[in-house]
Amino acid sequence: MADFVFGIDLGTTYSCIAYVDESGKPVVIQNSEGENTTPSVVGFTQEGAVVGEIAKQTAAMDPDNTVSFVKRLMGEQDFAIHFDGEDKSPEDVSALILKRIAEDASKMINAEVRDVVITCPAYFGDSHRIATKNAGIIAGLNVMAVINEPTAAALFYGVSKDQGKKTILVYDLGGGTFDVTIMDINDGRIEVICSEGNHELGGKDWDESLMHYIYSKFVEETGYSGDFDASMQHTLRLKAETAKQQLSRRESTVVMFDAAGLMARVEVTKSTFNELTSALLEQTIDETDKAIAIAKGKGYTVTDIILVGGSTRMSQVEETLIAKYRMTPQLVDPDEAVAKGAALHALYLAQKENELPPPPGETKRVRELPPGPRIEIDIVHATTKSYALEVLVNDEAMWNNLIIKNNPLINNEINAKEQYGTNTANAPSVVLKVYENDFMDEYFEIKPNQKILGDAVLNLSGDLPKGAPIEVTFSLNSEGLLTITGRDLTNGAFIESHMQIEGSLTPQQIKEKTEKIGLTKTQ
Ligand code: AMP
């Protein structure tokens, strides 16, 4: 049995796992219910956690102990749900999803699932990526890399289609997020040109528009005037999602909705649905236009559009893109392309690792990889965020962007250096405040209550005069992780720093959570 490596699309609404099988083809592994994707929903019960379809279906009965859309909380807050006297973090909840799909996959193909590449949206910043990686570690997985969903989709697309030069636009509309990424594909090389998107926009919002419509028709028909509690809302959400999906295949559908002993029959036509949601679709077009303009500014013209994400199955998406851009988008396994691309990337990393010599004096475990072809696709990633440092300019505090988004990471990293002067004499250290942002300007104003990424402390010799030159370097790697170093130019000393990302777990917390998750029943 070969040592397989895996790609996991940890989605807002559904997750999916794939591997490159013995014939060298990326394939999705079904879960224990025989489905290719698993709802990213976790229900907490006294007997343990329940993950997937059962949790999704039973959420109406126990909404307070069920977590959906946890991806929206990753790296944003340290709390997802309070259950049984304990706070569960978004990493804890995501780890349960990962553990469930890894265990199911392991049983299905009768092989260990350990080495994985996990995907995340391109707009994810440092804290979100760290949280994603930590969720994998807590689930007992070896996270080889965290890569961007559109890059993974392009990897799959790049190898599943004829090679040749093209500039592709990946329009990725999932359950909770929208990403648009433009990439240049040329002879086994994928270069990310730019990424835009809205992480508050996805299929869920289409569901909500339909929920409001069904609700208003229910009230109109039955005269109901009471509140809709969490359980009724959940049932309504499930019905709205089903109706939305039916409208991808037919011109109209009927929703039978009963609540509080009353029943309504609501007919929804495709044209009503399209009208209700046209403003949502327009938002995706605005982001797409923005990305196209950036790419144009860099000399690229889009030649292909590919659709990724379950919500691109809504016919309004394709129709609108054709009308607007005069190109027929390609739908390549929209629900599975990301996981399959991640699986290809995992194999690529494993092949590369096998070729590295062992560290001096050590032996190395060489994986017995499946006999498929060598993956020869190089990815040139781009920065998807800007990173700024707080500095004084004419005695006024400002943000100074050292790294600006949408720039290529040559050799998988970007280094930006800038020289500053110390603000006081004899300071033992300086605290660097770092702000992750979406601005393209070099300097911009500090606004109240901005959530900073973290603080990095540079220890100094303590005897420097005011204005002593300090060089600060921001380095960003291909996983989107930032490190900060300094150089005291008076003494030539290199200064290492550790940045504490606000809200991220400490190594001790990760260890404790990893040990604990083994005790949780996942299905
Ligand atoms: P993803 O995050 O890519 O798994 O996409 C999940 C979203 O795709 C959810 O909002 C689903 O309701 C939506 N979706 C899946 N299938 C369809 C379909 N046939 N028509 C419309 N939306 C769909």
Side-chain angles (χ1 to χ4, degrees), residues 26-304:
V27 288
V28 162
I29 309 168
Q30 290 187 338
N31 63 16
S32 55
E33 286 135 7
E35 298 293 337
N36 282 8
T37 59
T38 301
S40 307
V41 182
V42 181
F44 288 90
T45 71
Q46 290 304 331
E47 288 76 49
V50 184
V51 180
E53 190 58 38
I54 298 175
K56 184 173 177 181
Q57 293 302 329
T58 53
M61 289 184 300
D62 199 8
D64 293 344
N65 295 319
T66 305
V67 188
S68 308
F69 314 117
V70 67
K71 188 165 163 180
R72 286 187 169 174
L73 309 178
M74 293 286 269
E76 288 291 323
Q77 57 186 58
D78 49 16
F79 166 78
I81 192 170
H82 187 74
F83 179 76
D84 207 15
E86 215 179 272
D87 284 345
K88 309 273 183 195
S89 67
E91 289 93 326
D92 290 327
V93 177
S94 300
L96 287 164
I97 299 168
L98 290 167
K99 189 167 155 61
R100 155 87 206 271
I101 59 173
E103 282 179 355
D104 271 15
S106 174
K107 278 187 214 137
M108 194 58 72
I109 63 163
N110 194 22
E112 189 189 10
V113 177
R114 203 182 82 87
D115 299 330
V116 300
V117 165
I118 305 177
T119 60
C120 73
Y123 66 78
F124 258 22
D126 224 41
S127 56
H128 312 96
R129 286 166 200 270
I130 290 171
T132 304
K133 196 165 190 167
N134 287 343
I137 298 169
I138 296 168
L141 301 168
N142 170 38
V143 184
M144 302 167 82
V146 173
I147 65 163
N148 291 341
E149 288 156 9
T151 310
L155 263 174
F156 171 62
Y157 179 75
V159 297
S160 64
K161 293 269 156 185
D162 298 339
Q163 295 297 304
K165 182 165 165 54
K166 47 189 144 196
T167 300
I168 64 166
L169 181 147
V170 180
Y171 175 106
D172 180 358
L173 187 59
T177 57
F178 173 66
D179 252 338
V180 51
T181 300
I182 298 181
M183 290 175 239
D184 187 57
I185 301 191
N186 196 1
D187 256 349
R189 185 171 180 272
I190 295 179
E191 181 173 349
V192 181
I193 298 162
C194 61
S195 276
E196 292 297 321
N198 179 345
H199 58 284
E200 298 286 327
L201 184 65
K204 177 184 189 275
D205 300 289
W206 271 257
D207 298 344
E208 265 159 27
S209 294
L210 203 48
M211 280 168 74
H212 284 126
Y213 179 76
I214 300 167
Y215 171 74
S216 67
K217 290 284 163 194
F218 175 79
V219 169
E220 209 177 287
E221 236 179 77
T222 64
Y224 180 71
S225 61
D227 276 344
F228 256 49
D229 63 19
S231 167
M232 283 151 101
Q233 281 189 37
H234 187 81
T235 309
L236 185 56
R237 186 180 297 283
L238 289 180
K239 297 227 174 208
E241 189 186 5
T242 306
K244 171 190 77 174
Q245 296 186 355
Q246 286 166 343
L247 288 172
S248 297
R249 296 185 294 272
R250 11 182 159 128
E251 288 306 307
S252 72
T253 188
V254 169
V255 179
M256 302 299 292
F257 189 65
D258 58 321
L262 300 164
M263 160 87 106
R265 180 186 185 277
V266 181
E267 181 168 2
V268 192
T269 63
K270 192 181 266 192
S271 71
T272 305
F273 177 60
N274 288 355
E275 243 170 66
L276 289 170
T277 56
S278 63
L280 298 172
L281 194 62
E282 205 42 53
Q283 287 181 48
T284 71
I285 297 298
D286 289 348
E287 295 293 328
T288 306
D289 281 344
K290 226 193 281 175
I292 289 175
I294 295 170
K296 208 166 223 160
K298 297 184 176 199
Y300 295 94
T301 305
V302 172
T303 56
D304 298 55

Side-chain angles (χ1 to χ4, degrees), residues 331-362:
L331 206 73
V332 197
D333 296 347
D335 314 300
E336 301 171 7
V338 170
K340 287 178 176 174
L344 286 165
H345 190 61
L347 183 58
Y348 166 80
L349 294 177
Q351 287 174 343
K352 280 208 139 174
E353 245 176 67
N354 271 1
E355 286 159 12
L356 285 176
E362 287 181 34

